[in-house]
Amino acid sequence: MIRLDSISKQNGHQLLFIEASASLLKGEKIGLVGPNGAGKTTLFRMITGEDEPDEGQVLTDRGISIGFFSLDVGEMAGRSAVAEVMNGAGAVSDVAAELAQLEAAMADPDQIDKLDEIIERFGEVQAHFETLGGYALDGRAREVLAGLSFSQEMMDGDVGNLSGGWKMRVALARILLMRPDVMLLDEPSNHLDLESLIWLETFLAGYDGALLMTSHDREFMNRIVNKIIEIDAGNLTSFSGNYEFYEQQRLLNEKQLQAQFDRQQAMLAKEIKFIERFKARASHASQVQSRVKKLDKIDRVEPPKRRQSVSFDFLPAPRSGEDVVNLKGVHKAYGNRVIYQGLDFLVRRKERCCVLGTNGAGKSTLLKLVTGTTDPDAGTVAIGGSVKMGYFAQHAMELLEGDRTVFQTLEDAFPLAAQGGLRALAGCFGFSGDDVDKKCRVLSGGEKARLVMAMMLYDPPNFLVLDEPTNHLDMATKDMLITALREFEGTMLFVSHDRHFLAALSNRVLELTPDGIHRYDGGYTEYVARTGHEAPGLHS
């Protein structure tokens, strides 16, 4: 359906692609992977025609429809979420818009003299709308939005009142409703809660077109893709299988290449040693010449490119008391909406408690109550003895000062720390070389999250409260964080939609449901085994 034929592309001084080729066939579900800045978004833009290769060509089968979702959703306002989603469905959306205008005209007293004409036109347009399956389209649009966790109220409200994350879901719903021949999805799993993520997995599993997507969610990738295309150093390499298979295969390829490189180096060293030893002897002149020529002809094996991996080691945190935080008889409501009524909840030392619940169940509210960011309407929240808290919340990224650089931000936070120590900290969280001089305002979401995390973990707390810590993080940084948090000696209370993160770190589950709060001993994996579902809003 789509073929990339020997494409080359340069962005400034960076060579993104060098005579790279790949294809996307009907029925293939491909995961596009590669380090940040490797050119994944550029590749999408070349397929959609927004950008062009410097050399080579992008060949697309005639007549195929392509739907492209990216996190850059643009402005949306003045329409309901349902209308915005239906607007992506082609001709039928234009007819729906005219229908809405005619309905408004019929109710307009200023147009009463034209009423017969308007009613006649309304009948024609309504018939056309029905022929195009317009009424079914409304139902399908609502079904997709419900899958992405929209309430009926949000579906019918002005899309302009939604937050950026919810607008992204509207943009994603447009592509899903359109069901094009080819879907290009750039980070569709960002900003989705666990229920929406699992619904999207089911939707994409049943989609029979071709799919090319990026995602930082390992579990999501594993369940959907049947092929991986890796962008690395200008090349496109295809691997059959899911993400897990690709990782194993890449590791095996690296080992084989390293062994090949080592063997060749040993052989070269031996040959060079012979040449050096006998080059001055006339009796060995022909042998030396023959070996020099042989060395000149050898194709040199390149050593495998080592992925730059970051790691962070916790300094030992002071020990807290046995009871870390104790909530007794807590009531919390926002207006008429009651979130908690008489909540009792105790977190003990060394517990790693993950909080699960559908949208609006009160996950973030619970973390805000624990951290003192919000006060209970009644009841008490008592922090235990010697507890030193670290709180990661999404809004913390908005509080970074735009004109300060990464390094200045770290210096502001830790004025007594040695420069070398702060540079090492920045390096652990992926800010190496000139990256420390970047101003906060130009940082990506992932870079901001890493900087906030670095500040939180440098002076180690013994109680970590984390609200969606993996949003914006790439897989390498997530893996680093999981490795570091596994070694963490303190207590954790966290919310995450990343199942790999949940399974790796939790030893207790708190499930918030409409009929109360359920506690489960054992981590997320045990919770799934015991309940038969991966999230509270989904029941098998």
Side-chain angles (χ1 to χ4, degrees):
M1 297 181 93
I2 293 172
R3 204 166 85 243
L4 305 167
D5 192 8
S6 300
I7 59 165
S8 296
K9 181 72 178 173
Q10 190 164 344
N11 190 358
H13 294 298
Q14 189 187 5
L15 281 168
L16 293 177
F17 299 102
I18 307 157
E19 294 186 357
S21 297
S23 62
L24 174 60
L25 307 175
K26 187 172 171 57
E28 282 188 328
K29 294 187 168 85
I30 297 178
L32 186 62
V33 303
N36 281 339
K40 298 189 286 290
T41 301
T42 303
L43 189 68
F44 281 133
R45 288 170 58 84
M46 287 194 288
I47 292 173
T48 58
E50 289 176 58
D51 207 339
E52 288 184 355
D54 299 334
E55 288 173 24
Q57 50 189 342
V58 178
L59 303 166
T60 307
D61 284 358
R62 185 171 297 172
I64 64 164
S65 56
I66 296 176
F68 176 38
F69 167 79
S70 78
L71 295 176
D72 183 16
V73 297
E75 276 308 303
M76 289 181 190
R79 265 198 290 240
S80 69
V82 170
E84 188 68 48
V85 170
M86 287 168 64
N87 191 45
V92 69
S93 60
D94 298 331
V95 179
E98 190 181 348
L99 212 52
Q101 283 170 358
L102 290 165
E103 277 175 0
M106 283 193 287
D108 183 357
D110 293 341
Q111 300 197 50
I112 196 83
D113 53 330
K114 294 185 193 167
L115 192 58
D116 290 345
E117 193 184 318
I118 293 167
I119 290 171
E120 190 183 341
R121 179 62 187 154
F122 182 82
E124 291 167 7
V125 174
Q126 193 177 37
H128 187 35
F129 188 61
E130 216 165 307
T131 310
L132 290 171
Y135 289 110
L137 193 71
D138 180 273
R140 277 171 46 214
R142 288 177 187 278
E143 203 180 304
V144 171
L145 285 169
L148 295 174
S149 300
F150 279 75
S151 65
Q152 290 299 328
E153 194 183 344
M154 289 167 76
M155 289 181 201
D156 293 315
D158 188 332
V159 74
N161 297 331
L162 298 175
S163 68
W166 285 99
K167 282 179 181 170
M168 281 173 195
R169 295 189 195 206
V170 171
L172 177 58
R174 281 179 70 156
I175 306 294
L176 301 182
L177 181 68
M178 180 184 167
R179 286 190 91 101
D181 300 315
V182 177
M183 267 194 220
L184 307 177
L185 304 180
D186 195 2
E187 296 296 341
S189 52
N190 263 20
H191 299 286
L192 294 186
D193 55 85
L194 197 45
E195 286 81 9
S196 302
L197 202 56
I198 293 163
W199 176 87
L200 182 58
E201 276 173 5
T202 309
F203 184 97
L204 292 176
Y207 166 65
D208 54 6
L211 171 69
L212 179 67
M213 72 169 193
T214 60
S215 174
H216 293 322
D217 189 310
R218 176 186 300 269
E219 198 62 39
F220 182 69
M221 201 74 126
N222 271 335
R223 294 184 188 199
I224 292 168
V225 305
N226 50 29
K227 181 177 170 181
I228 294 284
I229 292 179
E230 179 192 56
I231 306 179
D232 196 14
N235 297 314
L236 292 171
T237 311
S238 296
F239 297 80
S240 292
N242 64 8
Y243 185 80
E244 200 173 327
F245 174 80
Y246 151 74
E247 274 202 317
Q248 292 165 354
Q249 197 59 42
R250 198 186 73 204
L251 211 60
L252 189 64
N253 291 354
E254 274 182 12
K255 277 184 183 169
Q256 288 172 343
L257 192 57
Q258 186 65 51
Q260 215 180 329
F261 175 75
D262 291 343
R263 279 197 302 274
Q264 190 180 69
Q265 290 300 302
M267 181 273 289
L268 292 174
K270 196 174 167 188
E271 293 294 322
I272 289 165
K273 192 176 176 185
F274 179 90
I275 292 164
E276 288 298 315
R277 189 175 168 195
F278 295 112
K279 66 182 175 186
R281 297 192 192 175
S283 57
H284 287 74
S286 63
Q287 284 172 285
V288 167
Q289 278 304 106
S290 148
R291 293 194 182 201
V292 168
K293 281 179 187 169
K294 180 182 160 189
L295 286 190
D296 285 343
K297 285 178 186 168
I298 286 175
D299 281 336
R300 302 294 166 113
V301 175
E302 292 290 325
K305 290 183 285 294
R306 295 283 172 218
R307 286 284 165 92
Q308 195 181 358
S309 59
V310 291
S311 64
F312 175 77
D313 297 320
F314 277 95
L315 295 167
R319 182 182 166 130
S320 71
E322 285 305 310
D323 289 358
V324 175
V325 63
N326 196 356
L327 284 72
K328 281 189 178 167
V330 166
H331 289 261
K332 185 68 188 175
Y334 294 108
N336 296 326
R337 208 165 125 250
V338 176
I339 308 288
Y340 293 115
Q341 207 161 11
L343 171 66
D344 295 323
F345 176 51
L346 171 66
V347 178
R348 293 191 174 88
R349 191 172 79 85
K350 287 209 166 190
E351 282 185 339
R352 295 155 171 258
C353 187
C354 72
V355 184
L356 300 179
T358 55
N359 260 321
K363 300 186 293 291
S364 291
T365 301
L366 179 65
L367 301 196
K368 285 174 182 172
L369 287 163
V370 166
T371 56
T373 317
T374 194
D375 295 321
D377 300 334
T380 59
V381 178
I383 301 296
S386 307
V387 169
K388 185 179 173 192
M389 194 186 301
Y391 177 35
F392 178 88
Q394 296 299 310
H395 71 81
M397 297 190 284
E398 294 157 24
L399 302 178
L400 294 170
E401 282 187 47
D403 284 331
R404 305 294 282 165
T405 66
V406 168
F407 193 71
Q408 285 168 339
T409 304
L410 293 175
E411 278 187 317
D412 295 345
F414 309 108
L416 301 177
Q419 287 221 345
L422 291 183
R423 285 192 183 277
L425 172 70
C428 286
F429 283 85
F431 297 105
S432 53
D434 294 341
D435 287 345
V436 293
D437 297 320
K438 276 186 181 176
K439 283 199 167 24
C440 288
R441 79 157 75 86
V442 303
L443 298 180
S444 67
E447 287 170 326
K448 284 179 180 172
R450 295 203 309 262
L451 179 54
V452 169
M453 221 163 269
M455 290 193 287
M456 182 182 68
L457 300 178
Y458 180 62
D459 185 14
N462 52 27
F463 179 34
L464 283 176
V465 181
L466 310 173
D467 194 358
E468 295 286 7
T470 59
N471 267 8
H472 308 291
L473 297 185
D474 60 28
M475 285 201 207
T477 311
K478 271 189 208 178
D479 288 345
M480 178 274 278
L481 190 60
I482 288 171
T483 304
L485 291 176
R486 273 189 178 132
E487 301 299 313
F488 175 61
E489 298 264 307
T491 308
M492 284 171 64
L493 178 69
F494 64 99
V495 171
S496 174
H497 64 247
D498 189 294
R499 285 157 292 179
H500 182 56
F501 190 85
L502 290 168
L505 295 171
S506 58
N507 60 20
R508 190 177 176 204
V509 174
L510 187 72
E511 182 189 59
L512 312 181
T513 70
D515 60 338
I517 292 174
H518 306 293
R519 297 165 176 79
Y520 296 87
D521 290 326
Y524 177 72
T525 307
E526 289 85 348
Y527 162 83
V528 174
R530 282 173 66 182
T531 63
H533 55 258
E534 293 185 295
L538 303 166
H539 297 280
S540 54

